Amino acid sequence: MARLRGRAPHGERLVGKVPQGHWKTTTFVAGLRSTALTAPCVIDGPMNGNAFLAYVEQVLAPTLKPGDVVVLDNLSSGFRRAVPDNVEFVTGDCGDATLLSTLFDRHNFDAIIHFAASIVVAESVTDPLGTYRNNTENACTLLECAIQHRVPRFVLSSTAAVYGEPAISPVTETAQTSPINPYGCSKLMVECMLADVASVHPLCYAALRYFNVAGADPAGRAGQSGAHATHLIKIAVQAALGRRDGMDIFGSDYSTPDGSCVRDYTHVSDLVAAHIDALRYLRGGGQSITCNVGYARGYSVFEVIDTVKRVSGADFNVRVKARRPGDPASLVASNDRARAELGWTPKHDNLETIVRQALAWERKLGLESAADRGAREAAVQIATSSRAAYPSHDPSASLAPLDLASKAIAYD
Ligand SMILES: NC(=O)c1ccc[n+]([C@@H]2O[C@H](COP(=O)([O-])OP(=O)(O)OC[C@H]3O[C@@H](n4cnc5c(N)ncnc54)[C@H](O)[C@@H]3O)[C@@H](O)[C@H]2O)c1
């Protein structure tokens, strides 16, 4: 890890060239619907379904065939329902070399989009090896398999955490990478591996350094669904909806205008669009590239909370706690490179809109949970009334409480 600190960003090296001539696919590429779909793409960790909605709408809707895209997820924090039925889904681990090999033998993958990871910064501090195992070691296995099967393109979910505490804001991709938590280190290591691999193998990659992903599908079909949310906007909207007893914020003594941390909140639909743009770029012969994905505009934690209160019309308790280890004061992206090289054009750059859609999604989740609970309670009643016939069965064992706990949870 010490080796990484202060090291120039490896991803800056423009290495490798896309093998030309034999690819003709539109998998996960926007705006090329008429091109033949011949080569499949594998995606692991589906951004809570948002990646698929964009993919299906923008690329495959008219022509999607089974096998055009394969999704691999171990469901450790994801949900099977996030993936549409017409997309092949495999439950499994991206670090399972045997499974990967079987999959890669079966499909002639044209690209890998590697979302799967452990993402909670605070957990990476308390369980660094778990984070390195999932983020770095598993990526190594995946890359090894990609090389063995000559997959030519790889898109990585990287992170602003590789910068640590950037000296300049907005931070450009040429800034020194100096992560201050194991999560950032684990992702920077993957960037380094990609650059090294691409310099000796026919693989091109795009490492997309996301800033803070937020919001939900504008049509309300997908959004963050995990019960143990760690993201500020998700937690604030849960507080606004009364699903938790207020919320904690960590540190109000940072060197920022109001003392709370500043982050660049990027709508998930724009983030997914960046992947589509990145694949189009790589398929068009673009060289390996590292790009920030953010809006070049930061909001403080207090500003976000004010926005949630204003948009929801609800007040809630905000408790100021001590700083958490591993949190930089400010992370705001320069997005010039993504715009210029990938042709990325964000369309949802509005904090109020992001909050409104996050709220709508959270309300929907609550209604679905309530409906699920109602169905489970009905099932319990039916089962209870037939207990005499099945005395050993305890139907209440399957009753899960609504798990939107009010306990203090750290967020990114
Ligand atoms: N959410 C953000 O603000 C943010 C910011 C920067 C970078 N990122 C990166 O974006 C990616 C997606 O993040 P997210 O917010 O959707 O997280 P998430 O936890 O919601 O999704 C991760 C997905 O990966 C799956 N997964 C985890 N480990 C796996 C494994 N070993 N094999 C197969 N599947 C596995 C999970 O089940 C889940 O579906 C991650 O790589 C993360 O580091 C996210």
Side-chain angles (χ1 to χ4, degrees):
M1 192 156 88
R3 193 175 71 89
L4 284 171
R5 294 194 191 282
R7 181 173 169 169
H10 229 54
E12 287 306 299
R13 286 163 33 191
L14 297 179
V15 288
K17 191 86 178 75
V18 173
Q20 295 287 335
H22 67 277
W23 62 274
K24 41 185 169 128
T25 173
T26 58
T27 306
F28 224 85
V29 180
L32 293 175
R33 288 181 182 189
S34 56
T35 313
L37 274 165
T38 55
C41 155
V42 65
I43 302 177
D44 64 10
M47 291 306 292
N48 279 310
N50 288 282
F52 298 98
L53 290 171
Y55 160 77
V56 167
E57 278 172 357
Q58 297 183 36
V59 185
L60 297 180
T63 48
L64 181 64
K65 300 190 304 294
D68 283 338
V69 64
V70 176
V71 175
L72 175 71
D73 199 302
N74 65 5
L75 301 180
S76 53
S77 63
F79 298 87
R80 173 63 186 90
R81 65 173 185 273
V83 180
D85 288 340
N86 53 353
V87 169
E88 183 175 336
F89 183 84
V90 177
T91 308
D93 200 286
C94 67
D96 180 343
T98 310
L99 171 66
L100 291 180
S101 199
T102 309
L103 266 181
F104 282 53
D105 279 342
R106 185 145 43 89
H107 298 269
N108 182 24
F109 289 125
D110 157 79
I112 294 170
I113 304 178
H114 180 43
F115 289 110
S118 300
I119 69 155
V120 181
V121 170
E123 272 175 28
S124 82
V125 174
T126 54
D127 178 22
L129 291 180
T131 298
Y132 286 117
R133 182 160 295 118
N134 202 25
N135 296 0
T136 313
E137 191 181 320
N138 286 348
C140 181
T141 304
L142 182 60
L143 257 176
E144 210 166 17
C145 199
I147 297 309
Q148 279 163 4
H149 290 79
R150 304 189 72 75
V151 180
R153 298 170 195 88
F154 195 105
V155 179
L156 170 72
S157 300
S158 190
T159 169
V162 299
Y163 294 116
E165 295 267 16
I168 296 172
S169 183
V171 60
T172 63
E173 293 84 350
T174 52
Q176 178 164 308
T177 48
S178 188
I180 61 169
N181 52 56
Y183 170 68
C185 283
S186 73
K187 290 285 185 168
L188 185 56
M189 286 175 174
V190 184
E191 288 194 15
C192 292
M193 285 195 300
L194 269 173
D196 290 339
V197 164
S199 68
V200 291
H201 292 286
L203 175 114
C204 262
Y205 69 88
L208 302 181
R209 292 177 176 166
Y210 312 173
F211 282 61
N212 283 59
V213 186
D217 170 44
R221 296 160 301 174
Q224 283 183 293
S225 303
H228 303 293
T230 61
H231 295 82
L232 172 63
I233 292 179
K234 170 114 178 154
I235 286 175
V237 301
Q238 287 180 342
L241 294 174
R243 304 235 172 98
R244 56 174 71 236
D245 171 25
M247 61 180 291
D248 297 339
I249 75 157
F250 302 96
S252 60
D253 55 351
Y254 285 95
S255 55
T256 56
D258 66 15
S260 64
C261 289
V262 171
R263 296 289 184 269
D264 188 331
Y265 295 93
T266 313
H267 194 289
V268 66
S269 299
D270 281 333
L271 182 83
V272 171
H275 294 73
I276 294 170
D277 293 336
L279 267 187
R280 180 177 48 210
Y281 164 88
L282 293 176
R283 284 174 175 151
Q287 293 187 311
S288 293
I289 192 167
T290 300
C291 285
N292 291 339
V293 184
Y295 292 147
R297 163 83 162 95
Y299 292 93
S300 73
V301 171
F302 286 125
E303 285 176 314
V304 169
I305 291 172
D306 284 349
T307 308
V308 172
K309 288 185 175 180
R310 190 172 62 253
V311 170
S312 66
D315 199 6
F316 49 86
N317 272 340
V318 176
R319 299 170 291 265
V320 178
K321 299 277 168 88
R323 291 183 184 195
R324 289 182 310 186
D327 277 343
S330 177
L331 279 173
V332 178
S334 158
N335 59 24
D336 293 346
R337 185 181 288 179
R339 286 176 182 272
E341 300 291 333
L342 307 183
W344 183 60
T345 310
K347 297 189 176 71
H348 306 271
D349 176 5
N350 184 299
L351 185 62
E352 286 208 3
T353 307
I354 288 173
V355 165
R356 192 167 300 111
Q357 290 168 359
L359 258 172
W361 175 251
E362 205 57 42
R363 281 198 184 98
K364 187 173 177 184
L365 268 187
L367 292 175
E368 284 172 357
S369 301
D372 282 355
R373 191 172 48 173
R376 280 196 300 269
E377 282 167 357
V380 169
Q381 276 182 358
I382 291 166
T384 306
S385 62
S386 47
R387 238 180 211 173
Y390 303 98
S392 62
H393 176 61
D394 178 9
S396 62
S398 63
L399 252 189
L402 252 188
D403 193 10
L404 288 164
S406 62
K407 55 191 167 185
I409 297 174
Y411 47 77
D412 296 332

